[in-house]
Amino acid sequence: MADFADLALMFGYAFFQRAFIAGICAAILCSVLGVFIVLRRASLIGEGIAHLSFGGIALGLVISIYPFYTALVLALFGTLAISFLHRKRIVYSETAIGIIFSFGLALGVVLASISGGFNVDLFSYLFGSILTVSEEDIYFIIILTLFVLGFVILFYKEMLHITFDEQGARLSGVPVDIFEIVFNLLIALCVVVSIKIIGSLLVSSLLITPAASAMQFSKSFKGTISLSLLFGIFSVFAGLVFSFIYDIATGGAIVLLSIILFTISAITTKIYKSFSNQIKNKIIT
Amino acid sequence: MVENMVENKIDNIKDKIIEVEGLTVKYDGNTVLDDISFEVRRKDVIGIVGPNGGGKTTLLNSILGNIPVYSGKIRLFGLDLQKFRDFHKIGYVPQNAIHFDPIFPATVEEIVSLGCITRKKLGRPLSSEDKKGVSHALELVDLYDLRKKKISELSGGQKQRVFIAKAIVRKPELLVLDEATVGLDICIQDQFVKLLKLLKKEMEITVMMVSHDLSGVFCQANRLFVVNKKLYVSELNENTDAEKVLREAYGRHFTFMFHHDHAKCIGE
């Protein structure tokens, strides 16, 4: 087992450099989009799309197409299907997510059994791995990250308006229906970007937890996004290091760290609030 | 002579903020608004009252294009609603605006800034003019010093002023308030009436306000719309027989106790 002295050496490995770049991209996207997802009470959609992309990966492995592409196509179609089922009032959005969620998982399991059971490749897509990020993945991940981030920066205030007050945004002339579809597509891209490092079963946690931790502290929306970024990047960085040093599943390490950060944030804020309330009461009396 | 007539006609058209003709709205086959017609002129202050489920909010939502209408015509600022795109001319404070997600992390300034968004400015950052507009709106509602505070930490009355600031930041010509004072105590309602007076003076704004506070409506409005599937319109002045108007609309007798000093106290 390696120790922390190997930290510098770690970055000398090409595979770790690639994992690091992919991880930071995933952290940035998940942390930023996560704030909107949590506040729109859409946490389930990340879970649904992630499971669907698992089906896509299995499909890619079976038909020998690069799994990233099949995952992306299936995730995008799944997102549009969720929007369609909800918009046409065929079912509630959470029901649509549930159907898509189970379809993805079922497809993945059936295809895996057809191909002769789970292999190492599929396992790494399920739980994330620092070993499997290829150079091709990196280009793909960077392009998707820049695209999603560019969109969020450009339409930040419109997305904030829809998140805070959908009816008000509609009245201001924001095309809310189009934004909703695009927003879900961005989540699909974000999930696909994150799968290699975090794994499809755990990626929704990185979408939710850093944002939830940041919301414990911040008073402003911009502050919440900045803190969420900080928590997300820290969790991914520390998770990658632990994964390398202790040879544990990368996705699991990252998610556990981000949940520890959330627990510390929630407890600290509660203690701080009750302490400041006590001081206020003492001053009043 | 002809020029004067043309000018008068143009002024007359410009003066009409809202024109509604034969508006009927149905939900699942049930008629909610039945053949309603009216006009709102510049600087009017319209008080809209009526029983719960009578169609007050439906009327506002139809005017704002939020719901489909069954039949009838709606014109905003002289344009058919379908062609109307200048929604920046309308400031809107929705029903229950202050009952938003209590843990939403946004400052007062961030929320008021959202009022600057228009269809024409999508994807553009706030200009220096927008920022000045935000500061001015915050000053008008007396919240400038609290601009960096988290919105959920404000009191009910302060939250209400945030939404009014958001609605007026683009200097709208029409302000639509849907039960803006519901659930707020009498002191805050008093502040609200004063704020409305200030806005009328500063911005020469036209107001449509849905309210259950009849005394507030009688103090503020120059015209009364009583909505109960049908529309009953009445001019409001010292000769208005309030009991008669309300009896016609609600279909039952009212004894309207209205204290003259109250009007003076909250109106001046």
Side-chain angles (χ1 to χ4, degrees):
Chain A
M1 184 188 288
D3 57 36
F4 281 99
D6 296 330
L7 204 65
L9 192 72
M10 200 167 66
F11 278 95
Y13 294 114
F15 79 90
F16 191 83
Q17 290 168 3
R18 291 195 296 270
F20 180 76
I21 294 169
I24 296 302
C25 286
I28 291 171
L29 288 191
C30 288
S31 310
V32 173
L33 285 182
V35 175
F36 293 98
I37 289 172
V38 169
L39 288 168
R40 288 176 62 79
R41 315 266 171 97
S43 304
L44 265 180
I45 198 164
E47 193 82 32
I49 295 171
H51 284 77
L52 187 65
S53 57
F54 165 68
I57 285 161
L59 181 69
L61 290 172
V62 168
I63 59 175
S64 299
I65 291 179
Y66 188 50
F68 244 29
Y69 297 146
T70 44
L72 181 65
V73 171
L74 220 60
L76 293 177
F77 272 113
T79 307
L80 293 174
I82 291 169
S83 298
F84 176 81
L85 290 171
H86 172 52
R87 289 264 153 225
K88 293 287 173 190
R89 297 189 180 182
I90 297 169
V91 286
Y92 296 119
S93 68
E94 60 266 32
T95 313
I97 292 168
I99 293 167
I100 297 296
F101 176 115
S102 11
F103 169 71
L105 209 54
L107 181 72
V109 172
V110 166
L111 289 175
S113 59
I114 288 171
S115 70
F118 287 99
N119 54 32
V120 178
D121 228 11
L122 192 60
F123 191 81
S124 73
Y125 279 109
L126 273 173
F127 301 106
S129 166
I130 51 172
L131 297 170
T132 55
V133 183
S134 66
E135 208 164 304
E136 192 181 358
D137 293 338
I138 287 296
Y139 295 129
F140 189 60
I141 286 170
I142 288 175
I143 290 168
L144 290 186
T145 303
L146 288 176
F147 174 74
V148 176
L149 214 55
F151 184 89
V152 174
I153 290 169
L154 200 60
F155 295 105
Y156 164 81
K157 57 184 189 350
E158 287 79 7
M159 285 172 71
L160 169 58
H161 204 178
I162 295 170
T163 307
F164 182 72
D165 170 19
E166 195 179 302
Q167 197 189 6
R170 207 180 284 276
L171 193 65
S172 302
V174 179
V176 174
D177 297 340
I178 295 172
F179 263 90
E180 264 197 15
I181 293 169
V182 174
F183 180 67
N184 287 345
L185 292 175
L186 295 185
I187 298 173
L189 295 180
C190 174
V191 165
V192 173
V193 163
S194 312
I195 279 177
K196 276 268 166 152
I197 290 294
I198 320 287
S200 63
L201 287 185
L202 293 168
V203 64
S204 69
S205 177
L206 196 65
L207 278 167
I208 300 165
T209 324
S213 308
M215 279 170 61
Q216 305 301 313
F217 296 106
S218 188
K219 290 189 170 191
S220 70
F221 198 79
K222 273 190 183 150
T224 307
I225 287 186
S226 310
L227 265 182
S228 179
L229 267 170
L230 191 73
F231 287 137
I233 290 172
F234 176 78
S235 303
V236 168
F237 178 72
L240 285 172
V241 171
F242 279 117
S243 168
F244 180 83
I245 292 173
Y246 298 111
D247 193 20
I248 50 176
T250 320
I254 291 169
V255 170
L256 280 180
L257 275 168
S258 77
I259 290 173
I260 290 169
L261 273 179
F262 169 73
T263 313
I264 294 170
S265 309
I267 293 172
T268 318
T269 320
K270 276 279 168 215
I271 292 173
Y272 173 76
K273 275 184 184 164
S274 78
F275 189 64
S276 60
N277 280 344
Q278 278 178 12
I279 290 175
K280 266 184 203 167
N281 290 340
K282 272 186 185 170
I283 292 169
I284 292 166
T285 50
Chain B
M1 181 76 174
V2 177
E3 276 179 7
N4 279 347
M5 279 173 68
V6 171
E7 270 177 25
N8 283 342
K9 197 156 188 180
I10 290 170
D11 285 346
N12 199 26
I13 292 166
K14 277 185 181 173
D15 227 28
K16 288 177 185 172
I17 302 283
I18 302 171
E19 296 159 83
V20 172
E21 267 178 57
L23 173 68
T24 298
V25 178
K26 293 187 179 188
Y27 284 139
D28 298 327
N30 298 319
T31 305
V32 184
L33 294 174
D34 186 14
D35 194 20
I36 282 177
S37 300
F38 64 88
E39 277 181 12
V40 175
R41 291 178 174 277
R42 200 169 290 278
K43 293 186 199 172
D44 264 347
V45 177
I46 312 286
I48 304 173
V49 299
N52 288 332
K56 304 183 293 294
T57 299
T58 303
L59 175 62
L60 293 189
N61 278 327
S62 339
I63 294 168
L64 297 170
N66 288 338
I67 53 169
V69 302
Y70 181 76
S71 63
K73 278 184 184 172
I74 300 171
R75 288 169 73 82
L76 296 176
F77 298 90
L79 275 175
D80 280 341
L81 181 60
Q82 288 76 14
K83 290 178 187 165
F84 183 75
R85 292 288 175 270
D86 296 334
F87 279 101
H88 63 272
K89 289 183 176 175
I90 302 174
Y92 175 52
V93 181
Q95 199 175 22
N96 297 324
I98 63 167
H99 301 296
F100 55 86
D101 180 0
I103 57 167
F104 199 97
T107 61
V108 169
E109 195 171 39
E110 281 177 324
I111 296 302
V112 176
S113 302
L114 298 179
C116 299
I117 298 173
T118 63
R119 185 179 286 271
K120 286 175 190 165
K121 287 185 184 174
L122 291 180
R124 286 191 209 162
L126 292 182
S127 64
S128 57
E129 201 181 316
D130 290 332
K131 286 174 187 164
K132 273 183 202 163
V134 171
S135 300
H136 182 63
L138 283 167
E139 277 164 6
L140 266 179
V141 300
D142 198 22
L143 281 178
Y144 187 76
D145 293 339
L146 298 177
R147 66 191 184 283
K148 299 288 179 202
K149 210 168 166 68
K150 189 175 179 178
I151 183 167
S152 55
E153 289 173 358
L154 301 184
S155 69
Q158 287 169 332
K159 282 178 195 164
Q160 181 213 48
R161 282 188 274 150
V162 171
F163 287 98
I164 292 176
K166 177 175 173 275
I168 62 171
V169 74
R170 287 174 303 194
K171 297 190 173 70
E173 293 174 43
L174 171 67
L175 182 62
V176 180
L177 306 162
D178 191 359
E179 297 193 29
T181 56
V182 74
L184 298 173
D185 70 39
I186 194 134
C187 295
I188 297 168
Q189 290 188 23
D190 181 18
Q191 286 171 12
F192 169 73
V193 170
K194 283 177 181 158
L195 173 61
L196 213 56
K197 262 194 160 318
L198 180 73
L199 294 180
K200 272 160 57 190
K201 194 176 152 193
E202 286 263 330
M203 302 170 71
E204 298 191 330
I205 210 163
T206 308
V207 180
M208 283 186 90
M209 51 189 276
V210 166
S211 180
H212 284 296
D213 172 24
L214 293 176
S215 65
V217 166
F218 275 72
C219 288
Q220 287 293 300
N222 65 322
R223 290 169 76 202
L224 179 71
F225 285 10
V226 187
V227 184
N228 190 6
K229 205 192 270 189
K230 291 274 181 186
L231 175 70
Y232 305 82
V233 180
S234 170
E235 297 296 318
L236 281 179
N237 51 46
E238 56 273 20
N239 301 320
T240 305
D241 185 351
E243 285 180 18
K244 191 182 164 215
V245 176
L246 295 173
R247 191 169 56 241
E248 271 178 20
Y250 283 79
R252 54 190 289 190
H253 180 72
F254 283 88
T255 305
F256 200 70
M257 298 172 75
F258 189 63
H259 200 288
H260 293 289
D261 288 345
H262 181 58
K264 202 173 178 185
C265 143
I266 63 173
E268 296 303 317

